Amino acid sequence: MALRRGRKGDLGLEVMPLIELALPAPDGQKLLRDRHTETVTAISDALGETLGNVSRLQGWQTQYAFEAVVVALGAVRLIKTEDAGLFYFDDADGELQPPDFRIVLSDGTQLLVEVKNVAPKSREAKVRAKDMAAAQAYTQATAGRLLYALFWSEMGMWTLVDPSVFSHAGSKKRLSFVDAVQANEMHLLGDAMLASEPPLTFSVTMDRDKERVMERLGNGEETRALTIGGVELLSAGRVITDPVEKKLAWFLLLHGGWPQTEKPRFDDHGRLVRLDYISSPETPDEDAARQIAEQGFAFFATLSNLYTLRLLQAITTEEGNIRALREEPEPALLARLVPDDYWARDDHVLRIWRFRLHPAEGASRNSHRPDASP
């Protein structure tokens, strides 16, 4: 079984709640169909205000990014927008506030997740205490467990944390980045951290038989036209031929976060025979390089981070401007990149380690022991 979209959506139907907001009350005996201009004006004004509010757009972009990550990880049974549409409640026990999403895990556990974007250069997430109390009240009323999905935008990193790990300060609930990492429960959604042997290389080989001189310069130099003869993907110098390994290696090259260098290869006559694009982890000092050499692998970011980087590149310009709020996610894309039976074979050229990170003991009410594959 795999995740798939439950409903396609129809603009003619989805616009109905907007009409309800644009025209909250009757206008005498005027029929609704005769209030078209009034409706369009109200919706257009609201749309213009929202499109001009960058922080609001970024908040929605983050919310959609979380949904896309969960779908791409493919480990849950259901994810549905919870904070949509009207609702009525008994206010005897105070306010209720629906979180952004309801998630049903494979074991039937119900999670209610509120998504928050943590601004660049901020090392602390803040939530209004009254908002958290209202979200907790809603969660208790609907038999779920409340969690906060925090996107630390400067690091491009997701953490999923229980409200209990926040500290209380005045009217705010606060959580530092370090504490959020220690209490992170993204493993519940299928998240993991990958590692492999460096470097990963994309190699372009020239077809020497099709090389030709385009121009002879007066100083004895020449301008030559080159034709690509073939390409290869390599892991730690070994050529990758398996289709599954190729797909994974290409994804890691594009989105893994290892810095890339370009290295041309020449023959004895100074002619270009190969161009290598080499991706290797940063090694700020000798100790870091020695550690990678001793353990035999280096880390990429988590799967959720890798996918979010890919998504933001698709919907944001190089200057950071928003082109779109969302891109339709591919269900279980990340799960298929590294199938669970990947380690059933021991002859892989692209050797992969997968680490599932669990909260530190005492950091969450649901603490578990770390584990790793392969």
Side-chain angles (χ1 to χ4, degrees), residues 102-113:
R102 179 177 293 273
I103 295 175
V104 181
L105 302 182
S106 58
D107 63 0
T109 299
Q110 302 262 341
L111 303 179
L112 287 158
V113 180

Side-chain angles (χ1 to χ4, degrees), residues 66-238:
F66 176 76
E67 178 187 53
V69 164
V70 174
V71 173
L73 287 169
V76 306
R77 289 170 56 183
L78 179 144
I79 177 170
K80 180 185 182 299
T81 300
E82 188 79 4
D83 186 13
L86 299 177
F87 69 97
Y88 298 86
F89 70 100
D90 182 349
D91 66 353
D93 296 323
E95 292 292 325
L96 295 185
Q97 181 172 302
D100 294 314
F101 294 103
R102 179 177 293 273
I103 295 175
V104 181
L105 302 182
S106 58
D107 63 0
T109 299
Q110 302 262 341
L111 303 179
L112 287 158
V113 180
E114 178 71 12
V115 181
K116 296 291 184 184
N117 182 61
V118 184
K121 299 182 180 180
S122 177
R123 292 293 191 273
E124 185 179 60
K126 301 175 184 178
V127 179
R128 291 193 301 182
K130 66 177 184 179
D131 290 343
M132 183 179 288
Q136 288 175 312
Y138 182 92
T139 302
Q140 292 170 0
T142 56
R145 178 193 175 200
L146 179 63
L147 291 170
Y148 281 83
L150 306 173
F151 182 64
W152 305 85
S153 55
E154 185 172 4
M155 284 73 74
M157 181 175 179
W158 287 99
T159 59
L160 186 68
V161 298
D162 192 273
S164 62
V165 302
F166 284 78
S167 62
H168 193 96
S171 63
K172 300 282 188 180
K173 294 283 190 174
R174 300 172 182 269
L175 183 66
S176 70
F177 173 70
V178 172
D179 289 341
V181 171
Q182 291 180 341
N184 189 11
E185 297 189 57
M186 281 293 292
H187 70 93
L188 293 173
L189 308 179
D191 202 11
M193 180 176 285
L194 300 183
S196 188
E197 296 175 279
L200 285 175
T201 304
F202 175 58
S203 182
V204 181
T205 305
M206 306 304 162
D207 187 337
R208 296 293 303 279
D209 293 335
K210 295 182 179 180
E211 182 179 325
R212 65 184 188 278
V213 177
M214 297 294 292
E215 182 182 4
R216 297 186 186 278
L217 305 177
N219 56 6
E221 295 184 353
E222 299 174 335
T223 300
R224 290 175 172 264
L226 304 176
T227 301
I228 295 176
V231 297
E232 291 179 328
L233 288 169
L234 300 94
S235 171
R238 303 182 299 271

Side-chain angles (χ1 to χ4, degrees), residues 64-73 158 251 255 302-313 327-331 333-334 337:
Y64 282 127
F66 176 76
E67 178 187 53
V69 164
V70 174
V71 173
L73 287 169
W158 287 99
F251 184 90
H255 310 294
T302 60
L303 289 172
S304 61
N305 296 15
L306 299 181
Y307 187 84
T308 302
L309 174 61
R310 171 183 181 271
L311 175 65
L312 293 179
Q313 287 175 341
E327 180 186 58
E328 184 65 24
E330 184 177 341
L333 168 66
L334 299 174
L337 277 176

Side-chain angles (χ1 to χ4, degrees), residues 30-41:
K30 187 181 291 187
L31 297 179
L32 188 61
R33 68 188 181 197
D34 295 329
R35 302 178 71 184
H36 179 271
T37 301
E38 181 184 352
T39 305
V40 170
T41 298

Side-chain angles (χ1 to χ4, degrees), residues 239-314:
V239 177
I240 302 171
T241 58
D242 181 82
V244 173
E245 294 180 50
K246 280 185 174 181
K247 184 177 181 179
L248 175 56
W250 188 244
F251 184 90
L252 293 174
L253 276 167
L254 291 176
H255 310 294
W258 286 357
Q260 188 178 92
T261 57
E262 179 183 297
K263 187 171 184 178
R265 311 282 185 175
F266 300 93
D267 64 12
D268 294 339
H269 303 286
R271 289 179 293 188
L272 182 68
V273 294
R274 197 170 81 245
L275 190 60
D276 291 339
Y277 297 91
I278 304 170
S279 292
S280 296
E282 289 183 317
T283 50
D285 51 45
E286 292 183 1
D287 288 340
R290 187 182 306 110
Q291 181 179 1
I292 292 173
E294 290 176 352
Q295 67 190 15
F297 59 82
F299 287 100
F300 298 99
T302 60
L303 289 172
S304 61
N305 296 15
L306 299 181
Y307 187 84
T308 302
L309 174 61
R310 171 183 181 271
L311 175 65
L312 293 179
Q313 287 175 341

